[in-house]
Amino acid sequence: MRAAVYFKHGKPEDVLQAVDVEDPKHPDHNEVLIRVLLRPVHHGDLLGIAGRYQPGAALPKEGVRVGFEGYGIVEEAGSGVDLKPGTRVAFFPGRGAWSEKAIVSAEYVTEIPDDVSDEAAAQLHVNPLTTALLLRAVETSGAKPGHDVVVLTAAGSAVARLVIGLLLDRGFDVVGVVRREAGVNELNVVFPDLPVVSTDKPGWRDKVVAAADGHPIGVVLDPVGGDTASAAVGLLAQGGSLVSYGDLSGQPISVPALYFSTRDIRLSGVTVGRWAGLPVNVRKADLKLALELAASKPELFLVEQTFDLADVAKAAALVEKPGKSGTVLIASR
Ligand SMILES: NC(=O)c1ccc[n+]([C@@H]2O[C@H](COP(=O)([O-])OP(=O)(O)OC[C@H]3O[C@@H](n4cnc5c(N)ncnc54)[C@H](OP(=O)(O)O)[C@@H]3O)[C@@H](O)[C@H]2O)c1
């Protein structure tokens, strides 16, 4: 079978390749062998390939198989697993999702109902589960609908769109921050009444404050870091929280020390990388939310382009291109 592999850390488009490897053997007890048909390319995958999580770590001689999320059909179920061959499933986390076949623990395999498209199923886990984590972080912050404003940076991203939709459903006032003026209209196509401010114009922080209309900014949800997050922290009301969930700028967040002592500002972060370790009842509720979103809001699971596995390097390069309007998928049908 073919698998996306890298042998050294580096720029994803330079180091990723599709190579022939041995097919996986039969699944063990409580495992599932899945023929993977589609998988998304996440910024987090690219950080791993670039070596940003563990700089300088040595890689195995046979290379590293990429990917943790995918969609496909059951080829064979191990003992103790009640899934018939041919069943549509998605999975996360499962190693080597960017391979034509993967063996995954049945605990992390989700059966896909008929009302969820293949493309949405391929995006069922990482982004919607991150959305669930971010909603819990908003809840934990103590912010209340109708009282506090939630600001999202990189508000046009796939994750942010899911979060905005659910925050609005729950009655929160939300302000979106994007980096390009054109991104304002793009986001208003999906959320017509959402106040959206672009950082490429001077005075964007004042515009966010004006959009909050006198309400306290209780939470900033930020995957950018750098200047954007540093400026956004300054917008938080007394006791407000910045929740970091990404590093798109690659730059540190800088916060004046007095914000902590005098304004009780809190900084925290979430990662879907720890989701598999959450209690079963929490994971079940998160998956229920993910399936509801995938079935009821397909417009939030847009696909920018689908590449064949052979073009894995091109797929990775497209993910970082400004102005995308959906997720990049890799197919092996
Ligand atoms: N913590 C977790 O577990 C977790 C899980 C999933 C995703 N994430 C993170 O969530 C973020 C969004 O992921 P996604 O897949 O939803 O993204 P996406 O759909 O690819 O969209 C990326 C968005 O970020 C904007 N952007 C890119 N670089 C930027 C920069 N340097 N400054 C400001 N804005 C920038 C882009 O703006 P343009 O429209 O102008 O190009 C675009 O709107 C990523 O950082 C990702 O790593 C975290």
Side-chain angles (χ1 to χ4, degrees):
M1 69 167 183
R2 296 178 301 161
V5 174
Y6 61 95
F7 296 91
K8 59 177 185 184
H9 288 305
K11 223 173 167 215
E13 56 261 48
D14 295 338
V15 299
L16 273 176
Q17 40 185 300
V19 298
D20 284 319
V21 298
E22 230 177 274
D23 274 33
K25 304 276 179 267
H26 300 288
D28 279 339
H29 182 66
N30 279 342
E31 286 182 345
V32 189
L33 172 59
I34 298 167
R35 182 142 65 83
V36 189
L37 302 174
L38 278 175
R39 66 291 274 159
V41 181
H42 291 296
H43 292 274
D45 296 316
L46 305 187
L47 290 176
I49 295 161
R52 297 271 306 280
Y53 295 124
Q54 292 172 304
L59 299 183
K61 154 166 119 306
E62 67 279 13
V64 179
R65 300 243 184 118
V66 189
F68 296 95
E69 170 169 36
Y71 159 77
I73 54 173
V74 172
E75 192 146 298
E76 187 182 342
S79 58
V81 182
D82 188 18
L83 283 172
K84 290 198 175 33
T87 306
R88 298 168 74 225
V89 290
F91 60 90
F92 172 80
R95 280 197 175 274
W98 298 11
S99 309
E100 286 179 311
K101 293 180 185 184
I103 289 186
V104 182
S105 164
E107 202 178 346
Y108 302 124
V109 175
T110 308
E111 196 170 337
I112 300 300
D114 291 344
D115 59 356
V116 174
S117 69
D118 294 358
E119 286 72 19
Q123 305 171 60
L124 181 76
H125 287 91
V126 168
N127 289 350
L129 299 179
T130 304
T131 299
L133 296 175
L134 289 168
L135 289 175
R136 273 203 287 284
V138 170
E139 209 173 285
T140 306
S141 75
K144 295 277 176 289
H147 181 261
D148 296 281
V149 174
V150 180
V151 171
L152 288 96
T153 60
S157 79
V159 171
R161 288 174 184 219
L162 290 167
V163 176
I164 292 168
L166 289 173
L167 285 171
L168 293 175
D169 286 352
R170 288 167 195 203
F172 277 98
D173 290 312
V174 178
V175 179
V177 175
V178 297
R179 65 172 167 178
R180 296 172 294 118
E181 192 59 29
V184 174
N185 289 337
E186 288 161 15
L187 198 50
N188 279 145
V189 170
V190 191
F191 303 108
D193 300 326
L194 182 77
V196 186
V197 169
S198 174
T199 57
D200 69 354
K201 289 276 178 303
W204 68 267
R205 293 170 79 242
D206 296 337
K207 287 185 191 158
V208 174
V209 172
D213 199 20
H215 290 275
I217 296 175
V219 185
V220 172
L221 301 177
D222 174 72
V224 178
D227 291 344
T228 301
S230 305
V233 177
L235 299 173
L236 285 167
Q238 179 85 19
S241 297
L242 179 130
V243 182
S244 164
Y245 66 101
D247 187 20
L248 286 167
S249 70
Q251 297 301 317
I253 302 174
S254 165
V255 183
L258 283 177
Y259 283 11
F260 298 104
S261 55
T262 62
R263 289 170 51 189
D264 196 18
I265 296 302
R266 288 135 206 252
L267 300 188
S268 63
V270 300
T271 171
V272 78
R274 288 194 292 271
W275 179 84
L278 294 176
V280 177
N281 61 326
V282 177
R283 282 192 276 127
K284 272 196 176 153
D286 289 350
L287 282 170
K288 184 167 173 282
L289 177 74
L291 284 166
E292 281 166 9
L293 279 171
S296 65
K297 296 187 191 280
E299 70 279 10
L300 299 181
F301 292 81
L302 293 180
V303 174
E304 172 72 13
Q305 196 173 334
T306 302
F307 291 83
D308 184 77
L309 185 55
D311 293 322
V312 60
K314 285 187 195 154
L318 182 58
V319 172
E320 294 188 319
K321 200 173 147 224
K324 277 188 298 105
S325 56
T327 299
V328 174
L329 300 182
I330 300 175
S332 50
R333 290 183 189 269

